[in-house]
Amino acid sequence: MTTARHYDLLVVGGGSGGYAAARTARDLGASVAIADPGPLGGLCILRGCMPSKTLIATSDLMYGVREADLLAVRSAEPRVDYPAMIERKRRVIKGFADYRIEGLETFELLQGPAKFVDRRELDVGGVRVRAKNVIVATGSVVAPPAFPGLLETGYIDSDAALDEEKPPSSVIVLGGGYVAIELGQFFSRVGVATTFVIRSPRLLSGADDDVGNALTDYLRDEGIRIVNRAFVERVERAGDRKRVVFRRDGEEGAVEAQEIFYALGRVPNIAGLGVEAAGIVSHPITGVEVDATLRTANPNVFAIGDVIGRYPLVHVAIQEGEIAARNAVCDKHESVDYRLSKAHTIFSDPQVAVVGETEKELLAAGRPFLRATYPFDDHGKAIAIGKTKGFVKMLAGPSDGRILGVQILGPEASDLIHEAIVAMYYRATVFDFVRIPHLHPTLAEILTYPAEELVVAIEGARTASERGDLPIAASVPG
Ligand SMILES: Cc1cc2nc3c(=O)[nH]c(=O)nc-3n(C[C@H](O)[C@H](O)[C@H](O)COP(=O)(O)OP(=O)(O)OC[C@H]3O[C@@H](n4cnc5c(N)ncnc54)[C@H](O)[C@@H]3O)c2cc1C
């Protein structure tokens, strides 16, 4: 029996969340080791955000060239050099991964899978490690196939979709969330006949209906087939093609394609961790249970990122990692403020970006609100550059005008949303927002229009109430 190595903190998993936790703990003076079996780099760099956005850059450019006629640029039909695109992606990703690995190697890096043997001790690839505190950051894995026949018929998941040397001639996308949308639109734009099969009436069923409906229409307009309200019954082979059989409005239907892209999400990666030995409570779908301070049922073990199944996003994993590290090393009880952290974006075209509460969430919580929207096809800068798809929406408190949420479906939404994030960070009202200078002509100006409309509505209501009129609708949902 070898003696165990000792650290103040052992971080299990060196992805985005784990790396941020390790850095924070070291800056606080703790002795830190990271356990990770590799491949090193984490999901975002190796098989998530970065490879997907690198490929989408090519498909968006393809689409831009096709649309160039609108801006009086005449060009021949573009052709994607698929192997060259994949080679570029591999080169770009290798650069990011090498940089991350250099960072990981500045820590005591234990290359092996970690497994708890008791509440404080772990086995890392045959090495015994004891730590005062442990942060579990093992991420997520692709959800197991959910439909009869899918495994036998064969499919690609996002890992494979991002690394295919040659695209399929046609693809059925199972799923309507962000990974399905981003990569489904990518396939379509590089020339793959693409069909979505989704259970809900629209893509992005978790978003507000106006956003999901508009995005569904835009994707249909560019030639993507979307079979909605379809309940998949089975998947089977049809000669050298693959068939998805579903029930829709009580009738059986089917679609066929060369490949199936299974994009129905990911589940927390807890297999093989020895959670019982650690005294941690976990669930296969919702992941490791933690309290507001990211402590598990074992107060010396914290968990962060995708493995806790809250908001599977890089910036959330990083923020949780930093907070868990401070709590572990300094024995603090800081908690995560998800009010803003749950902000997210989807790199479709047009893009989607959301911060704060949605209408659906406010209605479900019974919170009154006012809403105003403004379309990009009436906005000067958007018209000038020919990017007129989508709209912005602002939600505010009916009496104080505090901004409760902003949604953008449109060009550069993933960047434009940051103004709203900053405004909400400082708990700005629509009255503040309209006083903040906005340069002209910019896409960012568009957010001032719903803010102005809300100012007028709130001031109108105030004047009416001072006059003693009956109050106008305190909330204007939908
Ligand atoms: C296609 C796709 C696109 C995405 N795009 C975006 C995007 O645009 N924006 C965004 O914010 N998010 C995006 N995400 C999500 C994002 O990648 C994840 O939320 C994020 O990477 C999670 O970080 P993490 O630190 O929790 O886990 P990971 O980065 O997955 O790290 C987990 C680490 O744990 C290690 N590990 C596993 N088991 C063990 C063990 N037993 N012992 C030790 N180590 C172990 C793994 O090797 C890995 O290095 C995307 C995901 C996908 C799949």
Side-chain angles (χ1 to χ4, degrees), residues 13 15-17 35-37 43-44 48-49 53 114 137-139 178 269 305-306 312-314:
S16 303
D36 197 314
L43 178 65
C44 174
C49 338
K53 277 63 197 184
T138 48
Y178 81 93
N269 179 19
D306 283 9
L313 296 163
V314 167

Side-chain angles (χ1 to χ4, degrees), residues 11-19 35-53 100 110 112-115 124 137-140 142 158-159 162 178-179 182-183 266 269 271-273 304-307 311-318 345 347:
V11 179
V12 178
S16 303
Y19 184 63
D36 197 314
L40 297 175
L43 178 65
C44 174
I45 290 176
L46 300 178
R47 291 167 284 116
C49 338
M50 302 316 285
S52 57
K53 277 63 197 184
R100 171 56 53 83
L110 309 170
K115 182 179 172 147
V124 185
T138 48
S140 57
V142 172
S158 58
D159 292 0
L162 291 168
Y178 81 93
V179 172
E182 288 183 2
L183 294 179
R266 301 178 66 89
N269 179 19
L273 260 180
I304 58 155
D306 283 9
V307 77
Y311 299 102
L313 296 163
V314 167
H315 68 278
V316 177
I318 292 173
T345 186
F347 292 85

Side-chain angles (χ1 to χ4, degrees), residues 22-62:
R23 251 187 356 203
T24 307
R26 182 173 59 191
D27 290 349
L28 291 167
S31 63
V32 183
I34 300 176
D36 197 314
L40 297 175
L43 178 65
C44 174
I45 290 176
L46 300 178
R47 291 167 284 116
C49 338
M50 302 316 285
S52 57
K53 277 63 197 184
T54 307
L55 295 186
I56 288 168
T58 296
S59 57
D60 280 356
L61 185 57
M62 287 274 289

